[in-house]
Amino acid sequence: MDLDISWIFIGLPVAFLLGWVASRFDLRQLRMENRSNPKAYFKGLNHLLNEQQDQAIDAFIEAVQRDPDTSELHFALGNLFRRRGEYERAVRVHQHLLSRGDISESDRQRAQYDLAMDYVKAGILDRAETALRALQDTPLSAQALLALLSIYERARDWRQAAEVTRQLDKEGQGQFDSRRAHYLCELAAQSKDSDETHSLLQEAVANAPQLARPHIAMAHWLQAKGQSLQACEQLQQLALDIPSALPLFAVDLAHLAPLAQREAAVLSLLEAGYEKLQSLDVLDALVSLESHMGSPRARERYAKHLHNHPSLIAASQWLEGAGLGDQQTQVQRALAHAVKPLRRYRCAACGFEALKHFWHCPGCQAWDSYPARRIEEL
């Protein structure tokens, strides 16, 4: 049968017209979707800026449902869940991202890191550690190591923490010598083996000679081994090298001086330190050592301190041995109660107060954040 050529001239324009109509429909639909997605996204962003997290989550969920392939929306949604404490939902979002085969390697690593943070916030530290270990030898390796360091500190796994600081040093992420010295001191305090304790303290001193803690711990170890002279010498040298730390070990030094037969030298050192720092702990050490040496006027140092620096703690210490009669007990009891808050140490990072000096703040987990002076002296 012969094909009528006229149908070709009629069919071609019709086919072209139908194709054009279809393309216009598709473009219109695409434009509508593209308009609705940014609208939902910016709506969620606006809620975030107004600190309306519930509404922001709803907006982002709507945007994700319209465009499930957008990884950035998934990241935003997962982080919002984590901030709200909905860790299970955050984990599911980031696990979904990791299960996809169409995301880039950088987004995959980012999802892995965010998943680890979900586990950290949820307190599932073993899974967080596994997730972070998977990021070694990636661009996020340094961030992963810092997160691991936080986990090991939280778990008080000081040996692993020390190893992480060595890796961070190798990657040029800063100086962690002081932090590692603290870890070694913690390990030394836990050790039951005297030789291991000594070895750990020697390593801590070598790592951070400018840090007072390893030297003080070494002096305590020497004293426990019956080497009072060496312990006294250790603290005397520390007072010369790091004079600002003297209040932390002044009383120990005063106790060691008679055992090492170095009363005069230590007394001179404490007097020089007190003149410079005007510290109440150094003052207590001076009074203690002079009383041991038989000085009848040792307690007059408290009165002299009160003349120059009004202090309830110094007044309480002076009143304790003043011998003022029967009423002294009641006054002393009231004054001792009043000075208790003033004897505390306060973390410079978070304000956490404690009756003893901490190298590692129990409140904010910061290191070396406690000044060597009590609240009344700040």
Side-chain angles (χ1 to χ4, degrees):
M1 183 178 63
D2 295 334
L3 180 64
D4 190 350
I5 194 169
S6 62
W7 285 105
I8 296 177
F9 289 107
I10 296 173
L12 284 175
V14 172
F16 175 78
L17 180 62
L18 291 174
W20 180 83
V21 170
S23 66
R24 293 296 295 176
F25 179 78
D26 290 339
L27 286 173
R28 185 179 178 184
Q29 184 179 6
L30 181 61
R31 286 172 184 167
M32 291 178 62
E33 290 177 355
N34 287 339
R35 286 174 184 170
S36 62
N37 282 339
K39 184 177 179 181
Y41 178 80
F42 287 120
K43 183 180 177 183
L45 185 60
N46 182 57
H47 287 309
L48 273 184
L49 293 175
N50 292 321
E51 298 184 359
Q52 299 170 326
Q53 293 189 13
D54 290 339
Q55 293 89 332
I57 287 175
D58 291 338
F60 283 133
I61 288 176
E62 179 185 350
V64 167
Q65 288 173 343
R66 290 178 178 174
D67 188 4
D69 295 331
T70 305
S71 59
E72 286 300 329
L73 289 176
H74 284 79
F75 283 121
L77 194 56
N79 290 335
L80 273 174
F81 284 143
R82 184 166 69 238
R83 287 176 59 185
R84 278 178 48 83
E86 299 183 43
Y87 305 124
E88 290 185 9
R89 299 179 75 181
V91 166
R92 285 200 299 269
V93 169
H94 294 128
Q95 285 179 336
H96 170 69
L97 279 170
L98 287 171
S99 67
R100 286 171 49 181
D102 60 338
I103 63 172
S104 65
E105 187 61 28
S106 61
D107 279 349
R108 186 174 300 279
Q109 293 165 4
R110 182 179 167 191
Q112 181 78 15
Y113 180 79
D114 283 351
L115 178 62
M117 293 301 99
D118 296 338
Y119 287 137
V120 169
K121 290 294 185 179
I124 312 175
L125 300 185
D126 55 341
R127 292 190 181 182
E129 180 184 1
T130 303
L132 290 168
R133 287 291 183 188
L135 290 171
Q136 287 185 340
D137 302 322
T138 71
L140 294 178
S141 176
Q143 290 178 252
L145 285 173
L146 289 171
L148 277 172
L149 188 62
S150 176
I151 289 174
Y152 292 139
E153 285 187 355
R154 186 172 167 182
R156 303 184 68 81
D157 190 342
W158 307 118
R159 203 172 298 278
Q160 288 275 32
E163 182 57 35
V164 169
T165 59
R166 294 187 183 96
Q167 295 179 47
L168 286 167
D169 284 344
K170 289 179 182 178
E171 294 196 6
Q173 295 300 318
Q175 294 293 327
F176 290 86
D177 293 338
S178 295
R179 187 81 67 91
R180 186 160 54 253
H182 279 299
Y183 300 155
L184 294 169
C185 288
E186 294 285 351
L187 287 171
Q190 295 174 359
S191 176
K192 303 298 182 182
D193 185 279
S194 179
D195 292 337
E196 182 188 30
T197 300
H198 187 229
S199 177
L200 289 167
L201 292 176
Q202 283 183 319
E203 187 179 353
V205 170
N207 269 272
Q210 78 286 354
L211 194 66
R213 184 185 186 182
H215 298 278
I216 296 173
M218 181 66 79
H220 289 164
W221 182 86
L222 289 168
Q223 183 180 4
K225 298 293 287 185
Q227 302 177 35
S228 299
L229 178 59
Q230 292 87 336
C232 187
E233 290 176 343
Q234 181 90 16
L235 293 182
Q236 283 180 276
Q237 187 60 47
L238 180 59
L240 296 174
D241 294 340
I242 313 176
S244 61
L246 179 60
L248 298 177
F249 59 88
V251 174
D252 291 335
L253 186 56
H255 176 71
L256 281 169
L259 300 175
Q261 298 182 351
R262 289 205 167 189
E263 292 97 327
V266 170
L267 182 63
S268 176
L269 186 62
L270 290 174
E271 286 178 333
Y274 174 75
E275 288 299 322
K276 183 176 181 179
L277 301 172
Q278 298 293 301
S279 165
L280 290 169
D281 289 294
V282 179
L283 178 61
D284 286 341
L286 272 170
V287 172
S288 174
L289 183 55
E290 279 196 326
S291 299
H292 185 272
M293 294 171 67
S295 172
R297 310 186 63 168
R299 302 193 63 80
E300 291 183 8
R301 288 187 179 272
Y302 288 123
K304 184 178 179 181
H305 182 90
L306 284 169
H307 179 73
N308 298 321
H309 307 281
S311 165
L312 284 177
I313 295 178
S316 177
Q317 294 291 84
W318 175 81
L319 188 62
E320 187 176 348
L324 299 179
D326 296 337
Q327 294 182 342
Q328 177 186 341
T329 303
Q330 297 178 356
V331 175
Q332 174 63 23
R333 187 184 302 117
L335 195 56
H337 179 74
V339 301
K340 276 184 179 180
L342 302 178
R343 290 183 180 275
R344 297 172 182 166
Y345 296 93
R346 179 186 293 147
C347 174
C350 71
F352 187 92
E353 296 181 3
L355 291 176
K356 60 175 288 189
H357 180 273
F358 283 103
W359 301 103
H360 188 208
C361 177
C364 64
Q365 308 300 308
W367 292 94
D368 293 319
S369 60
Y370 276 83
R373 307 176 74 84
R374 300 179 187 273
I375 288 178
E376 191 186 52
E377 302 173 87
L378 296 176

